[in-house]
Amino acid sequence: MINKFFEIFYPKIFINIVVETMHTQIYIEVLSKNKLIRNIHKSFDTTAIDSRIENFLYEHTKESPFYYISLLDKSSQQGAIPTCLTNKMQEYCDITSIQYKCYNNSWAFYTSEYDLEAIKHEYRNIGLDFIFSPFVVLAKFFKDKIEATRAMFILVEESYISFTIFDHSKLLYASYLDMDYDKEDNLAIEHPLEDVNPLQGLDGINIEDIELDGGIERLDDFSAIEDLDISSEIDEFSDDKEEISTVLAETKAPSMENFGEDYQRFSLIQHSLNKFYNDPKYKSEFIENIYIADAIGVSPDLKSYLEEEMFLNVYIRKIDLPMALCDMAKVEADEL
């Protein structure tokens, strides 16, 4: 109650961190009485929290005690499973080594305890308030579509793909795909295009017991955001395939590097869909549509691969991940 009283005298500062393959993206919003005063985008050519980033954050947090630092979880050992029942979770993962949380009392997302400890150590000098799961970001971003249909929903980042299949809000299958790991595992080239057969078949992590510096006592609450709608600043999604095709056709022709990466993404999606069809643990349903939250600007080739080789209806919507985290953090902060 005392904090709420003093909030009227200070701005609220929301700092949002997304670590990419070679860079760290930081997006900051400063609000006074819920009105935006300014926002800042900054990119650093490092994936570590070095002195440059620490000094940058200090310059923007020293003006107010009410600041909130959010991070997108990039832990390799994370995922989502189609149940919240503890006795059934162990069918999908080792629950003795993870921290998990339920989403809408329907499905659960998780991260390994080891990875959370690593995050705690990496960010010990600045502290964290919220760690958001990419599966929750995806669920919020496509909330209306997930509630209304059965389809694949994926979040595409530089090195990761968050892959899910929902049937009217019920999670059927999920997988967190690491492109670098799968390059080594040769998954990206196990099937040439002509052989593809499409018919073969953190809210946030609950880390109440983890003590982080910088006011992290708020982390036990960091993902109770069931009613979040992603910021209206993100362009409205359209199901008009002709409109999407026109937009994609106007983009620059992909380089050979992008061509290879999008073929790899296609292969990983095909591999995951086949696993869903073939693994008896999952209730297989035929999938015709795929919704892509594009955080990097994929080339038109990915859409072509999915349409022509897997016979999917493809819908693509751009997402600004740091801004999406910011919207989620504002909801979380209001509930503290």
Side-chain angles (χ1 to χ4, degrees), residues 179 181-193 260-261 263-268 270-271:
M179 289 181 62
Y181 174 82
D182 289 315
K183 280 178 184 175
E184 297 173 2
D185 217 24
N186 293 321
L187 287 179
I189 56 173
E190 66 176 357
H191 299 297
L193 280 176
E261 288 177 350
Y263 178 69
Q264 183 188 359
R265 293 183 180 102
F266 157 75
S267 298
L268 292 175
Q270 181 264 335
H271 176 84

Side-chain angles (χ1 to χ4, degrees), residues 17-20 23-24 26 44-54 57 69-75 113-129 131 210-214 216:
I17 303 171
V18 176
V19 180
E20 299 177 342
H23 298 82
T24 296
I26 298 179
F44 292 87
D45 58 351
T46 178
T47 60
I49 303 301
D50 60 15
S51 59
R52 293 176 301 161
I53 293 179
E54 290 181 7
L57 296 183
I69 301 179
S70 303
L71 175 73
L72 181 65
D73 190 4
K74 293 294 184 76
S75 305
E113 292 180 340
Y114 176 84
D115 287 338
L116 288 176
E117 288 291 343
I119 291 172
K120 176 190 71 172
H121 181 76
E122 175 73 11
Y123 291 84
R124 64 192 181 279
N125 291 337
I126 64 172
L128 290 172
D129 297 289
I131 303 173
I210 297 178
E211 297 180 359
L212 296 182
D213 296 333
I216 202 63

Side-chain angles (χ1 to χ4, degrees), residues 16 40 58 69 75 97 153 181 202 213 230 280 288:
N16 310 277
I40 303 101
Y58 174 73
I69 301 179
S75 305
S97 62
F153 297 87
Y181 174 82
L202 251 204
D213 296 333
I230 292 296
E288 298 180 89

Side-chain angles (χ1 to χ4, degrees), residues 154-315:
I154 69 171
L155 171 63
V156 175
E157 302 176 64
E158 284 186 348
S159 296
Y160 299 96
I161 297 173
S162 301
F163 179 101
T164 64
I165 298 174
F166 282 92
D167 186 355
H168 295 83
S169 296
K170 179 178 176 58
L171 179 68
L172 301 183
Y173 177 79
S175 181
Y176 190 64
L177 308 174
D178 184 334
M179 289 181 62
D180 290 334
Y181 174 82
D182 289 315
K183 280 178 184 175
E184 297 173 2
D185 217 24
N186 293 321
L187 287 179
I189 56 173
E190 66 176 357
H191 299 297
L193 280 176
E194 60 269 21
D195 292 336
V196 172
N197 183 351
L199 300 180
Q200 287 181 344
L202 251 204
D203 306 335
I205 305 304
N206 180 3
I207 52 177
E208 295 176 351
D209 298 327
I210 297 178
E211 297 180 359
L212 296 182
D213 296 333
I216 202 63
E217 64 273 6
R218 296 173 293 198
L219 265 171
D220 59 348
D221 237 349
F222 71 69
S223 292
I225 50 177
E226 307 302 338
D227 298 323
L228 172 69
D229 286 323
I230 292 296
S231 170
S232 60
E233 294 183 11
I234 299 176
D235 292 338
E236 286 297 315
F237 172 72
S238 170
D239 278 345
D240 189 336
K241 292 173 62 181
E242 181 176 351
E243 178 183 342
I244 294 171
S245 298
T246 301
V247 172
L248 288 174
E250 293 173 353
T251 61
K252 292 182 180 180
S255 66
M256 288 304 296
E257 180 181 0
N258 289 335
F259 180 88
E261 288 177 350
D262 281 332
Y263 178 69
Q264 183 188 359
R265 293 183 180 102
F266 157 75
S267 298
L268 292 175
I269 292 168
Q270 181 264 335
H271 176 84
S272 295
L273 183 59
N274 283 345
K275 183 174 180 180
F276 167 69
Y277 284 144
N278 289 313
D279 194 325
K281 290 197 302 289
Y282 303 101
K283 180 183 177 183
S284 296
E285 299 284 353
F286 182 65
I287 305 300
E288 298 180 89
N289 301 315
I290 180 170
Y291 293 83
I292 299 174
D294 177 13
I296 59 171
V298 296
S299 77
D301 295 292
L302 178 61
K303 184 173 185 287
S304 297
Y305 296 150
L306 295 168
E307 287 180 336
E308 298 171 10
E309 307 299 333
M310 296 181 68
F311 308 105
L312 294 168
N313 301 313
V314 183
Y315 308 97

